[in-house]
Each structure stands twice: as structure tokens, then as C-alpha cells.
PDB file of all heavy atoms in Angstrom:
ATOM      1  N   ALA A 113     -10.466 -11.841  27.529  1.00  0.00           N
ATOM      2  CA  ALA A 113      -9.050 -11.821  27.915  1.00  0.00           C
ATOM      3  C   ALA A 113      -8.132 -11.848  26.700  1.00  0.00           C
ATOM      4  O   ALA A 113      -7.009 -11.334  26.757  1.00  0.00           O
ATOM      5  CB  ALA A 113      -8.747 -13.012  28.825  1.00  0.00           C
ATOM      6  N   ALA A 114      -8.595 -12.437  25.603  1.00  0.00           N
ATOM      7  CA  ALA A 114      -7.754 -12.551  24.405  1.00  0.00           C
ATOM      8  C   ALA A 114      -7.789 -11.303  23.532  1.00  0.00           C
ATOM      9  O   ALA A 114      -6.947 -11.163  22.639  1.00  0.00           O
ATOM     10  CB  ALA A 114      -8.201 -13.765  23.581  1.00  0.00           C
ATOM     11  N   MET A 115      -8.719 -10.396  23.763  1.00  0.00           N
ATOM     12  CA  MET A 115      -8.879  -9.247  22.874  1.00  0.00           C
ATOM     13  C   MET A 115      -7.633  -8.374  22.840  1.00  0.00           C
ATOM     14  O   MET A 115      -7.057  -8.126  21.769  1.00  0.00           O
ATOM     15  CB  MET A 115     -10.100  -8.420  23.289  1.00  0.00           C
ATOM     16  CG  MET A 115     -11.434  -9.067  22.977  1.00  0.00           C
ATOM     17  SD  MET A 115     -11.715  -9.320  21.206  1.00  0.00           S
ATOM     18  CE  MET A 115     -11.793  -7.621  20.631  1.00  0.00           C
ATOM     19  N   PHE A 116      -7.190  -7.873  23.984  1.00  0.00           N
ATOM     20  CA  PHE A 116      -6.049  -6.959  24.019  1.00  0.00           C
ATOM     21  C   PHE A 116      -4.741  -7.635  23.594  1.00  0.00           C
ATOM     22  O   PHE A 116      -3.986  -7.057  22.802  1.00  0.00           O
ATOM     23  CB  PHE A 116      -5.912  -6.330  25.406  1.00  0.00           C
ATOM     24  CG  PHE A 116      -6.884  -5.211  25.650  1.00  0.00           C
ATOM     25  CD1 PHE A 116      -7.127  -4.748  26.939  1.00  0.00           C
ATOM     26  CD2 PHE A 116      -7.579  -4.617  24.607  1.00  0.00           C
ATOM     27  CE1 PHE A 116      -8.029  -3.720  27.173  1.00  0.00           C
ATOM     28  CE2 PHE A 116      -8.488  -3.597  24.829  1.00  0.00           C
ATOM     29  CZ  PHE A 116      -8.705  -3.147  26.113  1.00  0.00           C
ATOM     30  N   PRO A 117      -4.416  -8.846  24.078  1.00  0.00           N
ATOM     31  CA  PRO A 117      -3.191  -9.491  23.587  1.00  0.00           C
ATOM     32  C   PRO A 117      -3.196  -9.707  22.070  1.00  0.00           C
ATOM     33  O   PRO A 117      -2.178  -9.498  21.405  1.00  0.00           O
ATOM     34  CB  PRO A 117      -3.176 -10.826  24.333  1.00  0.00           C
ATOM     35  CG  PRO A 117      -3.927 -10.563  25.585  1.00  0.00           C
ATOM     36  CD  PRO A 117      -5.017  -9.604  25.199  1.00  0.00           C
ATOM     37  N   GLY A 118      -4.357 -10.126  21.521  1.00  0.00           N
ATOM     38  CA  GLY A 118      -4.429 -10.338  20.074  1.00  0.00           C
ATOM     39  C   GLY A 118      -4.273  -9.057  19.287  1.00  0.00           C
ATOM     40  O   GLY A 118      -3.539  -8.991  18.293  1.00  0.00           O
ATOM     41  N   LEU A 119      -4.972  -8.001  19.721  1.00  0.00           N
ATOM     42  CA  LEU A 119      -4.859  -6.717  19.036  1.00  0.00           C
ATOM     43  C   LEU A 119      -3.471  -6.109  19.226  1.00  0.00           C
ATOM     44  O   LEU A 119      -2.941  -5.460  18.320  1.00  0.00           O
ATOM     45  CB  LEU A 119      -5.934  -5.761  19.556  1.00  0.00           C
ATOM     46  CG  LEU A 119      -7.381  -6.148  19.218  1.00  0.00           C
ATOM     47  CD1 LEU A 119      -8.357  -5.185  19.886  1.00  0.00           C
ATOM     48  CD2 LEU A 119      -7.607  -6.169  17.705  1.00  0.00           C
ATOM     49  N   LEU A 120      -2.879  -6.317  20.410  1.00  0.00           N
ATOM     50  CA  LEU A 120      -1.517  -5.850  20.638  1.00  0.00           C
ATOM     51  C   LEU A 120      -0.549  -6.504  19.661  1.00  0.00           C
ATOM     52  O   LEU A 120       0.310  -5.828  19.063  1.00  0.00           O
ATOM     53  CB  LEU A 120      -1.095  -6.174  22.079  1.00  0.00           C
ATOM     54  CG  LEU A 120       0.382  -5.950  22.423  1.00  0.00           C
ATOM     55  CD1 LEU A 120       0.727  -4.469  22.382  1.00  0.00           C
ATOM     56  CD2 LEU A 120       0.729  -6.546  23.791  1.00  0.00           C
ATOM     57  N   LEU A 121      -0.689  -7.790  19.471  1.00  0.00           N
ATOM     58  CA  LEU A 121       0.188  -8.508  18.560  1.00  0.00           C
ATOM     59  C   LEU A 121       0.006  -8.014  17.126  1.00  0.00           C
ATOM     60  O   LEU A 121       0.993  -7.765  16.409  1.00  0.00           O
ATOM     61  CB  LEU A 121      -0.102 -10.006  18.653  1.00  0.00           C
ATOM     62  CG  LEU A 121       0.945 -10.957  18.090  1.00  0.00           C
ATOM     63  CD1 LEU A 121       2.313 -10.691  18.696  1.00  0.00           C
ATOM     64  CD2 LEU A 121       0.522 -12.394  18.349  1.00  0.00           C
ATOM     65  N   GLY A 122      -1.259  -7.866  16.695  1.00  0.00           N
ATOM     66  CA  GLY A 122      -1.503  -7.334  15.357  1.00  0.00           C
ATOM     67  C   GLY A 122      -0.951  -5.925  15.195  1.00  0.00           C
ATOM     68  O   GLY A 122      -0.382  -5.573  14.147  1.00  0.00           O
ATOM     69  N   GLY A 123      -1.089  -5.095  16.242  1.00  0.00           N
ATOM     70  CA  GLY A 123      -0.553  -3.743  16.198  1.00  0.00           C
ATOM     71  C   GLY A 123       0.960  -3.728  16.102  1.00  0.00           C
ATOM     72  O   GLY A 123       1.547  -2.897  15.380  1.00  0.00           O
ATOM     73  N   ILE A 124       1.634  -4.635  16.823  1.00  0.00           N
ATOM     74  CA  ILE A 124       3.098  -4.726  16.751  1.00  0.00           C
ATOM     75  C   ILE A 124       3.539  -5.093  15.345  1.00  0.00           C
ATOM     76  O   ILE A 124       4.525  -4.553  14.820  1.00  0.00           O
ATOM     77  CB  ILE A 124       3.618  -5.749  17.790  1.00  0.00           C
ATOM     78  CG1 ILE A 124       3.416  -5.218  19.205  1.00  0.00           C
ATOM     79  CG2 ILE A 124       5.091  -6.059  17.552  1.00  0.00           C
ATOM     80  CD1 ILE A 124       3.789  -6.208  20.283  1.00  0.00           C
ATOM     81  N   TYR A 125       2.815  -6.011  14.703  1.00  0.00           N
ATOM     82  CA  TYR A 125       3.141  -6.370  13.323  1.00  0.00           C
ATOM     83  C   TYR A 125       3.074  -5.143  12.412  1.00  0.00           C
ATOM     84  O   TYR A 125       3.964  -4.908  11.577  1.00  0.00           O
ATOM     85  CB  TYR A 125       2.154  -7.420  12.791  1.00  0.00           C
ATOM     86  CG  TYR A 125       2.254  -8.792  13.409  1.00  0.00           C
ATOM     87  CD1 TYR A 125       1.223  -9.716  13.255  1.00  0.00           C
ATOM     88  CD2 TYR A 125       3.363  -9.182  14.153  1.00  0.00           C
ATOM     89  CE1 TYR A 125       1.293 -10.979  13.805  1.00  0.00           C
ATOM     90  CE2 TYR A 125       3.442 -10.434  14.714  1.00  0.00           C
ATOM     91  CZ  TYR A 125       2.396 -11.332  14.539  1.00  0.00           C
ATOM     92  OH  TYR A 125       2.470 -12.593  15.085  1.00  0.00           O
ATOM     93  N   ILE A 126       2.011  -4.366  12.539  1.00  0.00           N
ATOM     94  CA  ILE A 126       1.819  -3.203  11.665  1.00  0.00           C
ATOM     95  C   ILE A 126       2.911  -2.158  11.919  1.00  0.00           C
ATOM     96  O   ILE A 126       3.471  -1.590  10.965  1.00  0.00           O
ATOM     97  CB  ILE A 126       0.416  -2.600  11.886  1.00  0.00           C
ATOM     98  CG1 ILE A 126      -0.651  -3.570  11.364  1.00  0.00           C
ATOM     99  CG2 ILE A 126       0.287  -1.245  11.188  1.00  0.00           C
ATOM    100  CD1 ILE A 126      -2.081  -3.142  11.638  1.00  0.00           C
ATOM    101  N   VAL A 127       3.259  -1.912  13.192  1.00  0.00           N
ATOM    102  CA  VAL A 127       4.332  -0.957  13.512  1.00  0.00           C
ATOM    103  C   VAL A 127       5.656  -1.433  12.916  1.00  0.00           C
ATOM    104  O   VAL A 127       6.431  -0.637  12.365  1.00  0.00           O
ATOM    105  CB  VAL A 127       4.450  -0.780  15.039  1.00  0.00           C
ATOM    106  CG1 VAL A 127       5.705   0.013  15.398  1.00  0.00           C
ATOM    107  CG2 VAL A 127       3.216  -0.077  15.587  1.00  0.00           C
ATOM    108  N   TYR A 128       5.918  -2.731  13.002  1.00  0.00           N
ATOM    109  CA  TYR A 128       7.146  -3.279  12.419  1.00  0.00           C
ATOM    110  C   TYR A 128       7.188  -3.060  10.907  1.00  0.00           C
ATOM    111  O   TYR A 128       8.221  -2.652  10.355  1.00  0.00           O
ATOM    112  CB  TYR A 128       7.251  -4.772  12.746  1.00  0.00           C
ATOM    113  CG  TYR A 128       8.306  -5.501  11.955  1.00  0.00           C
ATOM    114  CD1 TYR A 128       9.658  -5.310  12.214  1.00  0.00           C
ATOM    115  CD2 TYR A 128       7.945  -6.375  10.921  1.00  0.00           C
ATOM    116  CE1 TYR A 128      10.625  -5.970  11.474  1.00  0.00           C
ATOM    117  CE2 TYR A 128       8.908  -7.043  10.184  1.00  0.00           C
ATOM    118  CZ  TYR A 128      10.252  -6.843  10.462  1.00  0.00           C
ATOM    119  OH  TYR A 128      11.203  -7.494   9.720  1.00  0.00           O
ATOM    120  N   LEU A 129       6.078  -3.327  10.242  1.00  0.00           N
ATOM    121  CA  LEU A 129       6.035  -3.153   8.782  1.00  0.00           C
ATOM    122  C   LEU A 129       6.210  -1.683   8.395  1.00  0.00           C
ATOM    123  O   LEU A 129       6.891  -1.369   7.407  1.00  0.00           O
ATOM    124  CB  LEU A 129       4.716  -3.693   8.237  1.00  0.00           C
ATOM    125  CG  LEU A 129       4.543  -5.220   8.344  1.00  0.00           C
ATOM    126  CD1 LEU A 129       3.119  -5.626   8.001  1.00  0.00           C
ATOM    127  CD2 LEU A 129       5.532  -5.936   7.428  1.00  0.00           C
ATOM    128  N   LEU A 130       5.610  -0.780   9.161  1.00  0.00           N
ATOM    129  CA  LEU A 130       5.824   0.649   8.913  1.00  0.00           C
ATOM    130  C   LEU A 130       7.297   1.007   9.101  1.00  0.00           C
ATOM    131  O   LEU A 130       7.859   1.805   8.334  1.00  0.00           O
ATOM    132  CB  LEU A 130       4.951   1.490   9.850  1.00  0.00           C
ATOM    133  CG  LEU A 130       3.450   1.505   9.557  1.00  0.00           C
ATOM    134  CD1 LEU A 130       2.688   2.187  10.688  1.00  0.00           C
ATOM    135  CD2 LEU A 130       3.165   2.223   8.230  1.00  0.00           C
ATOM    136  N   GLY A 131       7.934   0.424  10.123  1.00  0.00           N
ATOM    137  CA  GLY A 131       9.352   0.685  10.354  1.00  0.00           C
ATOM    138  C   GLY A 131      10.222   0.183   9.225  1.00  0.00           C
ATOM    139  O   GLY A 131      11.170   0.867   8.802  1.00  0.00           O
ATOM    140  N   VAL A 132       9.905  -1.023   8.708  1.00  0.00           N
ATOM    141  CA  VAL A 132      10.659  -1.550   7.566  1.00  0.00           C
ATOM    142  C   VAL A 132      10.487  -0.635   6.359  1.00  0.00           C
ATOM    143  O   VAL A 132      11.434  -0.382   5.605  1.00  0.00           O
ATOM    144  CB  VAL A 132      10.202  -2.988   7.230  1.00  0.00           C
ATOM    145  CG1 VAL A 132      10.837  -3.469   5.934  1.00  0.00           C
ATOM    146  CG2 VAL A 132      10.553  -3.925   8.368  1.00  0.00           C
ATOM    147  N   GLY A 133       9.272  -0.111   6.164  1.00  0.00           N
ATOM    148  CA  GLY A 133       9.021   0.800   5.042  1.00  0.00           C
ATOM    149  C   GLY A 133       9.840   2.075   5.144  1.00  0.00           C
ATOM    150  O   GLY A 133      10.229   2.653   4.112  1.00  0.00           O
ATOM    151  N   ILE A 134      10.122   2.530   6.362  1.00  0.00           N
ATOM    152  CA  ILE A 134      10.923   3.742   6.554  1.00  0.00           C
ATOM    153  C   ILE A 134      12.417   3.446   6.403  1.00  0.00           C
ATOM    154  O   ILE A 134      13.150   4.172   5.726  1.00  0.00           O
ATOM    155  CB  ILE A 134      10.643   4.358   7.940  1.00  0.00           C
ATOM    156  CG1 ILE A 134       9.188   4.842   8.010  1.00  0.00           C
ATOM    157  CG2 ILE A 134      11.598   5.517   8.232  1.00  0.00           C
ATOM    158  CD1 ILE A 134       8.760   5.278   9.393  1.00  0.00           C
ATOM    159  N   VAL A 135      12.875   2.347   7.017  1.00  0.00           N
ATOM    160  CA  VAL A 135      14.302   2.019   7.024  1.00  0.00           C
ATOM    161  C   VAL A 135      14.747   1.395   5.702  1.00  0.00           C
ATOM    162  O   VAL A 135      15.812   1.731   5.181  1.00  0.00           O
ATOM    163  CB  VAL A 135      14.618   1.068   8.199  1.00  0.00           C
ATOM    164  CG1 VAL A 135      16.075   0.641   8.172  1.00  0.00           C
ATOM    165  CG2 VAL A 135      14.286   1.730   9.518  1.00  0.00           C
ATOM    166  N   SER A 136      13.956   0.476   5.173  1.00  0.00           N
ATOM    167  CA  SER A 136      14.319  -0.226   3.922  1.00  0.00           C
ATOM    168  C   SER A 136      13.150  -0.200   2.953  1.00  0.00           C
ATOM    169  O   SER A 136      12.503  -1.232   2.709  1.00  0.00           O
ATOM    170  CB  SER A 136      14.722  -1.673   4.230  1.00  0.00           C
ATOM    171  OG  SER A 136      15.775  -1.740   5.157  1.00  0.00           O
ATOM    172  N   PRO A 137      12.836   0.968   2.375  1.00  0.00           N
ATOM    173  CA  PRO A 137      11.669   1.060   1.483  1.00  0.00           C
ATOM    174  C   PRO A 137      11.773   0.177   0.254  1.00  0.00           C
ATOM    175  O   PRO A 137      10.753  -0.184  -0.344  1.00  0.00           O
ATOM    176  CB  PRO A 137      11.635   2.546   1.099  1.00  0.00           C
ATOM    177  CG  PRO A 137      13.021   3.038   1.358  1.00  0.00           C
ATOM    178  CD  PRO A 137      13.539   2.246   2.503  1.00  0.00           C
ATOM    179  N   GLN A 138      13.013  -0.212  -0.129  1.00  0.00           N
ATOM    180  CA  GLN A 138      13.166  -1.063  -1.311  1.00  0.00           C
ATOM    181  C   GLN A 138      12.613  -2.471  -1.079  1.00  0.00           C
ATOM    182  O   GLN A 138      12.305  -3.179  -2.048  1.00  0.00           O
ATOM    183  CB  GLN A 138      14.646  -1.145  -1.730  1.00  0.00           C
ATOM    184  CG  GLN A 138      15.539  -1.943  -0.790  1.00  0.00           C
ATOM    185  CD  GLN A 138      16.003  -1.147   0.421  1.00  0.00           C
ATOM    186  OE1 GLN A 138      15.611   0.000   0.607  1.00  0.00           O
ATOM    187  NE2 GLN A 138      16.850  -1.759   1.240  1.00  0.00           N
ATOM    188  N   LYS A 139      12.483  -2.862   0.178  1.00  0.00           N
ATOM    189  CA  LYS A 139      11.941  -4.195   0.474  1.00  0.00           C
ATOM    190  C   LYS A 139      10.429  -4.252   0.286  1.00  0.00           C
ATOM    191  O   LYS A 139       9.881  -5.328   0.009  1.00  0.00           O
ATOM    192  CB  LYS A 139      12.297  -4.608   1.909  1.00  0.00           C
ATOM    193  CG  LYS A 139      13.752  -4.960   2.105  1.00  0.00           C
ATOM    194  CD  LYS A 139      13.973  -5.533   3.503  1.00  0.00           C
ATOM    195  CE  LYS A 139      15.401  -6.002   3.687  1.00  0.00           C
ATOM    196  NZ  LYS A 139      15.632  -6.596   5.027  1.00  0.00           N
ATOM    197  N   ILE A 140       9.764  -3.122   0.470  1.00  0.00           N
ATOM    198  CA  ILE A 140       8.306  -3.081   0.326  1.00  0.00           C
ATOM    199  C   ILE A 140       7.939  -1.835  -0.491  1.00  0.00           C
ATOM    200  O   ILE A 140       7.457  -0.836   0.049  1.00  0.00           O
ATOM    201  CB  ILE A 140       7.590  -3.105   1.700  1.00  0.00           C
ATOM    202  CG1 ILE A 140       8.308  -2.215   2.725  1.00  0.00           C
ATOM    203  CG2 ILE A 140       7.492  -4.490   2.245  1.00  0.00           C
ATOM    204  CD1 ILE A 140       7.643  -2.217   4.078  1.00  0.00           C
ATOM    205  N   PRO A 141       8.175  -1.892  -1.802  1.00  0.00           N
ATOM    206  CA  PRO A 141       7.987  -0.698  -2.646  1.00  0.00           C
ATOM    207  C   PRO A 141       6.520  -0.331  -2.831  1.00  0.00           C
ATOM    208  O   PRO A 141       5.614  -1.137  -2.582  1.00  0.00           O
ATOM    209  CB  PRO A 141       8.620  -1.113  -3.975  1.00  0.00           C
ATOM    210  CG  PRO A 141       8.475  -2.607  -3.999  1.00  0.00           C
ATOM    211  CD  PRO A 141       8.615  -3.058  -2.570  1.00  0.00           C
ATOM    212  N   LEU A 142       6.337   0.899  -3.298  1.00  0.00           N
ATOM    213  CA  LEU A 142       4.996   1.372  -3.629  1.00  0.00           C
ATOM    214  C   LEU A 142       4.538   0.751  -4.944  1.00  0.00           C
ATOM    215  O   LEU A 142       5.358   0.443  -5.816  1.00  0.00           O
ATOM    216  CB  LEU A 142       4.984   2.898  -3.755  1.00  0.00           C
ATOM    217  CG  LEU A 142       5.246   3.706  -2.481  1.00  0.00           C
ATOM    218  CD1 LEU A 142       5.401   5.181  -2.828  1.00  0.00           C
ATOM    219  CD2 LEU A 142       4.124   3.520  -1.488  1.00  0.00           C
ATOM    220  N   PRO A 143       3.234   0.578  -5.126  1.00  0.00           N
ATOM    221  CA  PRO A 143       2.736   0.086  -6.423  1.00  0.00           C
ATOM    222  C   PRO A 143       2.917   1.137  -7.506  1.00  0.00           C
ATOM    223  O   PRO A 143       3.091   2.324  -7.226  1.00  0.00           O
ATOM    224  CB  PRO A 143       1.258  -0.189  -6.145  1.00  0.00           C
ATOM    225  CG  PRO A 143       0.910   0.696  -5.004  1.00  0.00           C
ATOM    226  CD  PRO A 143       2.147   0.798  -4.160  1.00  0.00           C
ATOM    227  N   GLU A 144       2.894   0.692  -8.757  1.00  0.00           N
ATOM    228  CA  GLU A 144       3.097   1.624  -9.879  1.00  0.00           C
ATOM    229  C   GLU A 144       1.940   2.608  -9.996  1.00  0.00           C
ATOM    230  O   GLU A 144       2.147   3.812 -10.177  1.00  0.00           O
ATOM    231  CB  GLU A 144       3.255   0.842 -11.186  1.00  0.00           C
ATOM    232  CG  GLU A 144       4.520  -0.027 -11.219  1.00  0.00           C
ATOM    233  CD  GLU A 144       4.641  -0.771 -12.524  1.00  0.00           C
ATOM    234  OE1 GLU A 144       3.718  -0.627 -13.380  1.00  0.00           O
ATOM    235  OE2 GLU A 144       5.624  -1.506 -12.710  1.00  0.00           O
ATOM    236  N   ASN A 145       0.743   2.123  -9.912  1.00  0.00           N
ATOM    237  CA  ASN A 145      -0.436   2.994 -10.044  1.00  0.00           C
ATOM    238  C   ASN A 145      -1.089   3.148  -8.678  1.00  0.00           C
ATOM    239  O   ASN A 145      -1.744   2.239  -8.175  1.00  0.00           O
ATOM    240  CB  ASN A 145      -1.439   2.397 -11.038  1.00  0.00           C
ATOM    241  CG  ASN A 145      -0.837   2.259 -12.430  1.00  0.00           C
ATOM    242  OD1 ASN A 145      -0.155   3.169 -12.909  1.00  0.00           O
ATOM    243  ND2 ASN A 145      -1.089   1.127 -13.079  1.00  0.00           N
ATOM    244  N   VAL A 146      -0.849   4.324  -8.083  1.00  0.00           N
ATOM    245  CA  VAL A 146      -1.397   4.601  -6.759  1.00  0.00           C
ATOM    246  C   VAL A 146      -2.677   5.409  -6.910  1.00  0.00           C
ATOM    247  O   VAL A 146      -2.678   6.487  -7.508  1.00  0.00           O
ATOM    248  CB  VAL A 146      -0.388   5.379  -5.890  1.00  0.00           C
ATOM    249  CG1 VAL A 146      -0.982   5.645  -4.517  1.00  0.00           C
ATOM    250  CG2 VAL A 146       0.908   4.599  -5.765  1.00  0.00           C
ATOM    251  N   ARG A 147      -3.749   4.874  -6.366  1.00  0.00           N
ATOM    252  CA  ARG A 147      -5.036   5.560  -6.470  1.00  0.00           C
ATOM    253  C   ARG A 147      -5.131   6.668  -5.418  1.00  0.00           C
ATOM    254  O   ARG A 147      -4.679   6.500  -4.278  1.00  0.00           O
ATOM    255  CB  ARG A 147      -6.169   4.553  -6.266  1.00  0.00           C
ATOM    256  CG  ARG A 147      -7.549   5.139  -6.433  1.00  0.00           C
ATOM    257  CD  ARG A 147      -8.599   4.052  -6.324  1.00  0.00           C
ATOM    258  NE  ARG A 147      -9.947   4.600  -6.260  1.00  0.00           N
ATOM    259  CZ  ARG A 147     -11.043   3.870  -6.100  1.00  0.00           C
ATOM    260  NH1 ARG A 147     -10.940   2.550  -6.008  1.00  0.00           N
ATOM    261  NH2 ARG A 147     -12.239   4.434  -6.051  1.00  0.00           N
ATOM    262  N   LYS A 148      -5.668   7.783  -5.804  1.00  0.00           N
ATOM    263  CA  LYS A 148      -5.827   8.905  -4.893  1.00  0.00           C
ATOM    264  C   LYS A 148      -6.894   8.582  -3.845  1.00  0.00           C
ATOM    265  O   LYS A 148      -7.952   8.055  -4.154  1.00  0.00           O
ATOM    266  CB  LYS A 148      -6.233  10.165  -5.670  1.00  0.00           C
ATOM    267  CG  LYS A 148      -6.376  11.396  -4.797  1.00  0.00           C
ATOM    268  CD  LYS A 148      -6.796  12.598  -5.627  1.00  0.00           C
ATOM    269  CE  LYS A 148      -6.992  13.832  -4.749  1.00  0.00           C
ATOM    270  NZ  LYS A 148      -7.429  15.005  -5.540  1.00  0.00           N
ATOM    271  N   VAL A 149      -6.566   8.930  -2.585  1.00  0.00           N
ATOM    272  CA  VAL A 149      -7.522   8.708  -1.507  1.00  0.00           C
ATOM    273  C   VAL A 149      -8.560   9.827  -1.515  1.00  0.00           C
ATOM    274  O   VAL A 149      -8.232  11.004  -1.343  1.00  0.00           O
ATOM    275  CB  VAL A 149      -6.818   8.669  -0.135  1.00  0.00           C
ATOM    276  CG1 VAL A 149      -7.840   8.492   0.980  1.00  0.00           C
ATOM    277  CG2 VAL A 149      -5.790   7.541  -0.090  1.00  0.00           C
ATOM    278  N   ASP A 150      -9.793   9.479  -1.779  1.00  0.00           N
ATOM    279  CA  ASP A 150     -10.880  10.453  -1.776  1.00  0.00           C
ATOM    280  C   ASP A 150     -12.089   9.831  -1.086  1.00  0.00           C
ATOM    281  O   ASP A 150     -12.040   8.697  -0.601  1.00  0.00           O
ATOM    282  CB  ASP A 150     -11.216  10.897  -3.204  1.00  0.00           C
ATOM    283  CG  ASP A 150     -11.482   9.702  -4.137  1.00  0.00           C
ATOM    284  OD1 ASP A 150     -11.777   8.601  -3.611  1.00  0.00           O
ATOM    285  OD2 ASP A 150     -11.400   9.860  -5.360  1.00  0.00           O
ATOM    286  N   TRP A 151     -13.162  10.586  -1.016  1.00  0.00           N
ATOM    287  CA  TRP A 151     -14.346  10.096  -0.316  1.00  0.00           C
ATOM    288  C   TRP A 151     -14.941   8.862  -0.992  1.00  0.00           C
ATOM    289  O   TRP A 151     -15.521   8.006  -0.329  1.00  0.00           O
ATOM    290  CB  TRP A 151     -15.391  11.212  -0.234  1.00  0.00           C
ATOM    291  CG  TRP A 151     -15.014  12.289   0.720  1.00  0.00           C
ATOM    292  CD1 TRP A 151     -14.650  13.569   0.420  1.00  0.00           C
ATOM    293  CD2 TRP A 151     -14.938  12.166   2.145  1.00  0.00           C
ATOM    294  NE1 TRP A 151     -14.340  14.260   1.568  1.00  0.00           N
ATOM    295  CE2 TRP A 151     -14.515  13.420   2.650  1.00  0.00           C
ATOM    296  CE3 TRP A 151     -15.176  11.135   3.048  1.00  0.00           C
ATOM    297  CZ2 TRP A 151     -14.335  13.670   3.999  1.00  0.00           C
ATOM    298  CZ3 TRP A 151     -14.994  11.365   4.402  1.00  0.00           C
ATOM    299  CH2 TRP A 151     -14.579  12.616   4.869  1.00  0.00           C
ATOM    300  N   ARG A 152     -14.789   8.785  -2.288  1.00  0.00           N
ATOM    301  CA  ARG A 152     -15.324   7.620  -2.997  1.00  0.00           C
ATOM    302  C   ARG A 152     -14.584   6.347  -2.575  1.00  0.00           C
ATOM    303  O   ARG A 152     -15.207   5.303  -2.343  1.00  0.00           O
ATOM    304  CB  ARG A 152     -15.189   7.827  -4.507  1.00  0.00           C
ATOM    305  CG  ARG A 152     -15.776   6.687  -5.322  1.00  0.00           C
ATOM    306  CD  ARG A 152     -15.652   6.976  -6.810  1.00  0.00           C
ATOM    307  NE  ARG A 152     -16.163   5.864  -7.602  1.00  0.00           N
ATOM    308  CZ  ARG A 152     -16.135   5.824  -8.940  1.00  0.00           C
ATOM    309  NH1 ARG A 152     -15.637   6.853  -9.622  1.00  0.00           N
ATOM    310  NH2 ARG A 152     -16.609   4.779  -9.580  1.00  0.00           N
ATOM    311  N   LEU A 153     -13.241   6.449  -2.455  1.00  0.00           N
ATOM    312  CA  LEU A 153     -12.453   5.298  -2.019  1.00  0.00           C
ATOM    313  C   LEU A 153     -12.801   4.928  -0.581  1.00  0.00           C
ATOM    314  O   LEU A 153     -12.952   3.744  -0.247  1.00  0.00           O
ATOM    315  CB  LEU A 153     -10.965   5.620  -2.139  1.00  0.00           C
ATOM    316  CG  LEU A 153     -10.001   4.550  -1.602  1.00  0.00           C
ATOM    317  CD1 LEU A 153     -10.226   3.219  -2.297  1.00  0.00           C
ATOM    318  CD2 LEU A 153      -8.558   5.002  -1.765  1.00  0.00           C
ATOM    319  N   ILE A 154     -12.923   5.927   0.276  1.00  0.00           N
ATOM    320  CA  ILE A 154     -13.277   5.665   1.680  1.00  0.00           C
ATOM    321  C   ILE A 154     -14.634   4.972   1.769  1.00  0.00           C
ATOM    322  O   ILE A 154     -14.840   4.052   2.562  1.00  0.00           O
ATOM    323  CB  ILE A 154     -13.276   6.984   2.479  1.00  0.00           C
ATOM    324  CG1 ILE A 154     -11.853   7.547   2.559  1.00  0.00           C
ATOM    325  CG2 ILE A 154     -13.847   6.768   3.880  1.00  0.00           C
ATOM    326  CD1 ILE A 154     -11.767   8.915   3.188  1.00  0.00           C
TER     327      ILE A 154
END
């Protein structure tokens, strides 16, 4: 019974953080050295 409510709550947090990144990117800036996503990183 706790699985969906818990995952829903975690998902809402992530959507909120993505929204803040779009609306106010200065609050959560990108790191200076961004590593390229490749198969090795995955």
C-alpha cells in the first residue's frame, strides 16, 4: 500500500525540481565540468 504513495511523492519532488530548473535556473546551476553521457557512464 505504501509503494505508490511513496513513489508518487518522490516523483512530485523531482518534477518540482525540474520546474525550478526551467523557471529559475540560477537557483540550481549546472556544474562547471559536465561529463558527456556515453555508454561508459551508463
Side-chain angles (χ1 to χ4, degrees):
M115 288 297 295
F116 282 164
L119 293 175
L120 171 67
L121 197 54
I124 291 175
Y125 291 164
I126 291 175
V127 170
Y128 167 72
L129 292 170
L130 288 171
V132 172
I134 295 172
V135 176
S136 303
Q138 71 278 3
K139 288 188 175 182
I140 41 180
L142 294 172
E144 295 180 358
N145 299 317
V146 180
R147 183 175 171 183
K148 182 181 178 181
V149 178
D150 53 20
W151 288 110
R152 182 178 178 183
L153 175 58
I154 294 173

